[in-house]
Amino acid sequence: MVRRVAVIGAGVGGLASVKCCLDEGLEPTCFERSEDIGGVWRYTDSVDDTRVSVYRSVITNTSKEMSCFSDFPFPEDFPSYLPHSLLLQYFQMYACHFNLLQHIRFKTTVLSVRKRPDFATSGQWEVVTETDGVHESHIFDAVMVCTGHYQEPYLPLDCFPGIDTRFKGQYLHSQEYRDVEAFRGKRVLVVGIGNTGGDVSVELSRVAAKVFLSARSNTWVASRVSSHGFPFDMVSTTRFNHFLDWLLPSALTRRIRFRKFNSWFNHANYGLASTKSSKFKIIVNEELPFCLLSGAVVLKPSVKEFTESSAVFEDGTIEENIDVVLFATGYIFPFPFLEESVRSLFEDNRFLYKCIFPPQLEKPTLAIIGLIQLTGSIMVGSEMQARWVTGIFAGRNKLPPASRMMADVLKRKPPVKRNPSERENLKMSFISYTDEIAACAGVKPSVLRLLLTDPRLALAIYFGPCTPYQYRLVGRGAWGGARAAILTQWQRVLKPLRTRVVDEDSDRSSSWHWMCLVALPVALTAGFLLSKHPQLGWRHWAG
């Protein structure tokens, strides 16, 4: 019987885990090595090798309605996309509202997590911590590791000949970047075109003499602002769109997606991506296209090598007088506190059951929370993981036998990794994964049942954004405010924009609602038939 649970880390996943433990009647103790909650979102000017922090100007890539805890909406006057200060304020509000702080031990580092000698029967763990130089040993019935995947900077110097032997300039990882002041008037090369690389390149272009951005992968650039000015993720992440993605041939959905990206600007003209490529990444950045168009940022291919002051690229071009090289090459997640016999059971989340449980453990009392990269908010995915895991610890939910868990892990054929930091390996469909874990936890809503009992809510759930409140409608932890939160989510998007009101046409047609009402049962029926008879789907006909 699990009672005492160790939660490692007081970031997004740690806060959700502590709250879910309390909901299940468990006794959590959270260990946080810094002096406050928030994890990577707690910004600090200092650069500490042992702690990863966001940079000063960062703005969330997912909107507030798609990123909140499922029973605690953001304040309606908060903007849709948030700076780190407001996000941290929200975390503090959440922690205070649910009385989480009393369960967190700050300035306490976890040194080791080891199985007890009788683990095969007890499932217990020995956790050794350090606080102000004092070591302490604890016994816990279960452990939830909530350190995420931003643990240790990945700096592959061996892949860049000359950087640490011939190059006379400065080089650093983006983990050390805070703001632009140290780069003023310099010629900067940014290596890596993920979200961080794109953001930093744009910001540096305002003060640097020149910024070069080295990219080796096909990259599509999306905007946070969608049609009619609404948040992109709220418009695109719907159950109806998810159904179409599943129904239509993958080649067709990819072509539609590429065409939509190119409707903003032709990515091939900018050297970013080609519609012929099957491997690609998507980043969010509204300003990068203009910076490229204006020459403030110059896109370059992969770096071949460095000389004393130059960068030589794979296409043979050379950029002289480079002052600083900034590596936006991602992170690795080594979990150094786990004993080797446990750590060796999984290389990354591809070898975890449902990206959470090491299936080879004799007892399922170790859970990895937040080691996921979704097409939507990781906050929502982490909370859903925590709800399911604590239900298992409390004995309400059950895991299948180890053999079935291993079969499920092996069935999900892992892609070949090119380097440890490429989180495309972890990326999964937001709706698919969250629904899967919600079904395991018994909290996935039934749109068909709602269509019969609450058609208005069913329409909002199926054709509207898949906001986290949907997972509080039924089952354990159902929240009485979930329905109202869903039906008023668009109002909370518009509220912070109503700082100046203008006249508009208030005569709106109801034809769209009638069309949705007709289309919903058709789509649900088709989805049910295809789930029972997959050979009817386009993907199967296409072979």
Side-chain angles (χ1 to χ4, degrees), residues 104-125:
I104 304 175
R105 293 183 54 175
F106 293 107
K107 296 184 179 180
T108 301
T109 301
V110 173
L111 300 178
S112 68
V113 176
R114 308 183 69 85
K115 292 190 290 185
R116 294 270 289 166
D118 63 346
F119 180 83
T121 55
S122 70
Q124 290 184 329
W125 300 85

Side-chain angles (χ1 to χ4, degrees), residues 296-312:
V297 176
V298 176
L299 195 65
K300 302 293 293 187
S302 299
V303 176
K304 181 180 179 181
E305 62 176 335
F306 287 93
T307 65
E308 288 189 357
S309 61
S310 306
V312 182

